[in-house]
Amino acid sequence: MYVQELEPVAGSLGLSAAVAALPLVIVLVLLGGVRMKAHLAGLIGLLAAVLVAWLAYGMPLDQTASSAVHGAVFGLFPILWIVVNALWVYRMTVRTRHFDILRRSFGRLSDDPRIQALVVAFCFGALLEALAGFGAPVAICSVMLVALGFDPVRAAVVSLVANTAPVAFGAMGTPVVTLAQVTGLPLDDVASVVGRQTPLLALVVPLLLVALVDGRRGLRETWIPALVCGVAFAVAQFVASNHVSAQLADIAAALVGAGALVAVPRSRRPAAEPVRAAVLTGVRSEELDEQDSPREVVRAYAPYALIVAVFSVAQIPAVKDWLAKATQSYDWPFLDVVDPEGTPVGGNVFSWPIVSTGGTLVLFAGLATAAVLGVHARVAVKEWLATVHELRYAILTVTSVLALAYVMNLSGQAATIGHFVAAAGAGLAFLSPVLGWFGVAVSGSDTSANALFGALQVTAARESGLSPELLAAANSSGGVLGKMISPQNLTIACAAVGLAGREGDLLRKVLPWSLGLLLVMCLIVVGQSTVVLGWMLP
């Protein structure tokens, strides 16, 4: 049995916290300073965490290695199982050219570039975030906006800023699923609090987007459609995350937001020519003028409808209980860890929700998609394998970061840092979103930031008397605002629109918005930690 210690270095909490933080510092310096590839930084950080656990904390090497393997396996299943299958569905729509049909369908909804930005970057971007995440929304939406005639820089900035509100529930809820796992908090509790924070961003972001597209004129002339879209998105995300399913939160929000936007009469009016001339400074793709049959348009929307249908059926109580019966739990080998009070930690057990996990449900929807789109079984398998190959570095990054997180959590490193950080007292509520923001800014992933800092936030919350669910959620909600300035996303945006090497230009344009929205989120969390906004929490 391994008993966690809080002060293993010279009996000092401060010195122990400094040593425990070394793996995190190494990862952040390698990512943000040295600009090393994320998967290499993750592996080096993992090695540092293993050495600290073994040499400083006295965790037996076999248990240290076992905890790392446990984290890596969790990274593969269910985390990457969701991502691979979701991106596979998208690849099949590209293979059959139904994604092009979908893009043309969006282009016909309105010829007003400000409305197009909302439909493509905010609503469809949220749907892509829900299904794939990991940079896909920024890359795809940037290309679509350029095809509609947007200037490449403006298209990239709009796509980056839009990729905020849906991130916490992206990739079928992967960030909040990870957060629940590493903190030991119930998924429904974590998701419900996140669902009372990020929807507030959704009220602001559409207004910000029309201002980015067309300045004060855009805000003055299209604030009603933008506000309606934001309110509908926010309400749907709140309802789904609190009362339906964290995995469906972004899908519901994207569809309801788009429906509400299209329903506003002002959204369908032709844009004034001066507006189009001022905004659409790029070249509009002639491909947008091709005509598609109603049958093909329906098939283009079918994959997303199938995913919604599969997940909705899975939430029916009788079906949910039946699926849950397939969940297997195992005592993880070579792992016997108790906290300083002698209570066994949750990491000793591995739960395998074989059928009920989001990745398996997306796989079912993907099989149905292949049938609807007429994708041959051999081609579908080939696309699935190509998806795994495309994500090979992301797979290595996620597994190494989750392995690092598990070593830090099970050895007691995260608990030591959490106890030390708790000294911030009431100021912890303000700093909590900043920690998540910083983690995503350097890693490019809300999932990774939650894995790194989730347990730390919960420990600090319990020591300072704050709500563990609140600070855990704040880590994820603050993190979404670091997405637009992460080197990974900036590089993806530049590569998508042909601006290679101009990441610095984009950073200067989006950084003020990232910091401004982060301040708003910090104030929201502070308010929720007091009687001012405490009524918002479940």
Side-chain angles (χ1 to χ4, degrees), residues 499-518:
L499 295 174
R502 294 186 57 184
E503 289 85 355
D505 294 341
L506 287 186
L507 177 61
R508 284 189 290 273
K509 289 182 179 293
V510 298
L511 180 59
W513 301 112
S514 178
L515 292 173
L517 292 172
L518 174 63

Side-chain angles (χ1 to χ4, degrees), residues 209-499:
L209 293 179
V210 295
L212 285 172
V213 171
D214 194 29
R216 292 182 180 178
R217 178 178 58 186
L219 194 58
R220 184 175 64 251
E221 295 181 358
T222 56
W223 69 268
I224 292 179
L227 187 61
V228 168
C229 178
V231 169
F233 186 103
V235 170
Q237 192 180 60
F238 163 74
V239 171
S241 61
N242 277 264
H243 303 293
V244 183
S245 163
Q247 287 89 346
L248 282 177
D250 278 349
I251 294 178
L255 297 178
V256 172
L261 177 62
V262 173
V264 177
R266 189 172 297 187
S267 300
R268 308 303 298 271
R269 293 179 191 167
E273 193 54 41
V275 172
R276 291 180 55 78
V279 176
L280 301 181
T281 53
V283 179
R284 183 177 182 275
S285 173
E286 295 181 1
E287 185 184 295
L288 294 173
D289 296 324
E290 294 183 21
Q291 296 299 314
D292 302 301
S293 68
R295 179 174 179 271
E296 290 304 306
V297 172
V298 170
R299 292 176 72 191
Y301 282 91
Y304 311 103
L306 286 168
I307 289 175
V308 173
V310 170
F311 272 84
S312 299
V313 170
Q315 297 307 310
I316 298 172
V319 177
K320 192 173 184 177
D321 293 341
W322 179 73
L323 292 174
K325 290 179 182 178
T327 298
Q328 303 290 322
S329 294
Y330 308 94
D331 289 329
W332 192 257
F334 308 109
L335 205 57
D336 186 10
V337 181
V338 297
D339 64 21
E341 285 75 40
T343 305
V345 300
N348 293 326
V349 178
F350 177 71
S351 293
W352 190 19
I354 304 172
V355 182
S356 60
T357 188
T360 304
L361 296 178
V362 175
L363 178 64
F364 292 156
L367 295 173
T369 294
V372 170
L373 300 185
V375 180
H376 191 276
R378 178 176 50 79
V379 175
V381 171
K382 183 179 179 181
E383 286 297 327
W384 194 90
L385 294 174
T387 302
V388 173
H389 183 264
E390 179 184 340
L391 291 173
R392 61 192 183 281
Y393 292 120
I395 291 171
L396 190 54
T397 299
V398 171
T399 52
S400 63
V401 167
L402 264 298
L404 182 158
Y406 267 59
V407 170
M408 291 191 65
N409 294 344
L410 291 172
S411 67
Q413 295 174 59
T416 297
I417 300 171
H419 280 73
F420 182 76
V421 171
L428 187 59
F430 185 87
L431 295 174
S432 188
V434 177
L435 190 59
W437 173 85
F438 186 68
V440 176
V442 296
S443 71
S445 166
D446 201 36
T447 300
S448 297
N450 286 344
L452 291 173
F453 301 130
L456 186 158
Q457 298 267 22
V458 167
T459 303
R462 287 173 175 152
E463 286 301 304
S464 60
L466 294 171
S467 164
E469 291 82 6
L470 174 62
L471 294 202
N475 192 85
S476 192
S477 298
V480 307
L481 300 169
K483 190 87 168 176
M484 70 177 82
I485 64 168
S486 72
Q488 171 185 307
N489 255 22
L490 290 170
T491 301
I492 289 172
C494 285
V497 298
L499 295 174

Side-chain angles (χ1 to χ4, degrees), residues 5-19 56-57 416 419-420:
E5 285 188 70
L6 292 178
E7 302 174 354
V9 181
S12 167
L13 182 62
L15 287 175
S16 299
V19 173
Y57 279 74
T416 297
H419 280 73
F420 182 76

Side-chain angles (χ1 to χ4, degrees), residues 107-174:
R108 296 188 189 102
L109 289 175
S110 173
D111 73 343
D112 189 324
R114 299 162 300 190
I115 302 301
Q116 290 174 342
L118 294 176
V119 171
V120 173
F122 187 69
C123 297
F124 187 59
L127 188 60
L128 291 173
E129 183 67 38
L131 300 179
F134 292 88
V138 170
I140 295 166
C141 293
S142 296
V143 171
M144 289 177 72
L145 290 176
V146 169
L148 290 169
F150 278 66
D151 169 74
V153 173
R154 182 175 284 156
V157 170
V158 167
S159 298
L160 286 165
V161 174
N163 191 219
T164 49
V167 168
F169 296 104
M172 309 309 294
T174 296

